[in-house]
Amino acid sequence: MSIERDPAPDGTRVSVETEYETVGSGTPLADFPERDRALLNGLFPKPDDLPEDTGYGVGEVYAPEVATESRLVNGDVTAVEYEGTAYAVTVETRPASRYEFTYTAERVAPDAATLAADLRERYRFTLDGLSEAEREVVATATGDGYYEGSASDAFESLARRFREHDPVVGEAGENGQYLARYEGTDYWADLYAPFVD
């Protein structure tokens, strides 16, 4: 798969914030154009886990053709009415660069089973002959994941063993995603060890 990024016509960055302070009246949500409503739906209803007296904001880059229809971009909106209650809002706009991404894909296998077999043949390696400390790291990693702020000897040793093989995703000898077999089970291992040489 390849991804190409090309400059697109500049757009407008729209940011809307509220502290859920109620006011007398506002523009009903239904009166906004579709794109504005989609953005404002990110504000309402108030998130359940948001502490009292805490503001919340949403933002998006509008394409030029959408910005011309936007009441948020072109209007003087200071309050939005949602389910019968008007909330004060602050709207800010500024120019923003935009990019268009083009994705192309190439079929590499006729079906998922064939792809899996190809990946196993090309990338899978067996983790064996581990020390007790290394086995503890692997046991933790295959459960809830393994994280540590600085590398233990066991983790460093395992990271180096992984890097002796080609990752499915990533560069050889670096962090990446590996296919490892351990005690009769295949594991997809995501290795991130920036502190290991």
Side-chain angles (χ1 to χ4, degrees):
M1 174 179 278
S2 64
I3 303 171
E4 294 180 14
R5 184 177 93 155
D6 298 310
D10 287 343
T12 302
R13 175 75 185 179
V14 179
S15 300
V16 188
E17 295 184 0
T18 184
E19 293 185 1
Y20 299 99
E21 174 186 326
T22 58
V23 293
S25 63
T27 305
L29 189 59
D31 289 354
F32 285 92
E34 181 180 347
R35 184 64 196 88
D36 286 352
R37 285 196 314 273
L39 179 63
L40 291 168
N41 280 332
L43 282 180
F44 305 107
K46 179 179 179 179
D48 292 335
D49 59 351
L50 191 68
E52 291 298 322
D53 302 322
T54 302
Y56 194 74
V58 293
E60 187 61 69
V61 176
Y62 281 40
E65 61 275 12
V66 177
T68 59
E69 301 172 1
S70 168
R71 291 189 70 171
L72 295 173
V73 173
N74 301 303
D76 186 21
V77 177
T78 58
V80 174
E81 184 180 315
Y82 173 77
E83 293 187 352
T85 303
Y87 299 91
V89 296
T90 302
V91 180
E92 293 183 0
T93 61
R94 61 180 169 80
S97 296
R98 297 175 55 242
Y99 295 92
E100 292 180 349
F101 294 86
T102 304
Y103 299 86
T104 56
E106 176 185 347
R107 181 177 289 276
V108 295
D111 53 47
T114 302
L115 176 61
D118 290 346
L119 290 175
R120 281 193 296 272
E121 182 177 335
R122 181 172 176 188
Y123 295 103
R124 183 175 64 183
F125 62 95
T126 300
L127 275 178
D128 55 12
L130 302 182
S131 70
E132 186 59 36
E134 290 171 332
R135 293 174 67 81
E136 287 177 14
V137 171
V138 173
T140 302
T142 58
D144 297 327
Y146 183 85
Y147 306 93
E148 60 178 57
S150 59
S152 65
D153 290 343
F155 182 79
E156 283 190 29
S157 174
L158 281 168
R160 289 190 184 99
R161 288 184 68 164
F162 272 83
R163 289 176 176 173
E164 291 172 358
H165 303 277
D166 289 333
V168 179
V169 178
E171 297 295 323
E174 300 292 334
N175 298 318
Q177 297 175 353
Y178 293 82
L179 183 58
R181 188 163 185 81
Y182 179 67
E183 295 187 341
T185 302
D186 290 344
Y187 292 95
W188 186 267
D190 192 352
L191 175 67
Y192 181 68
F195 38 77
V196 176
D197 296 336

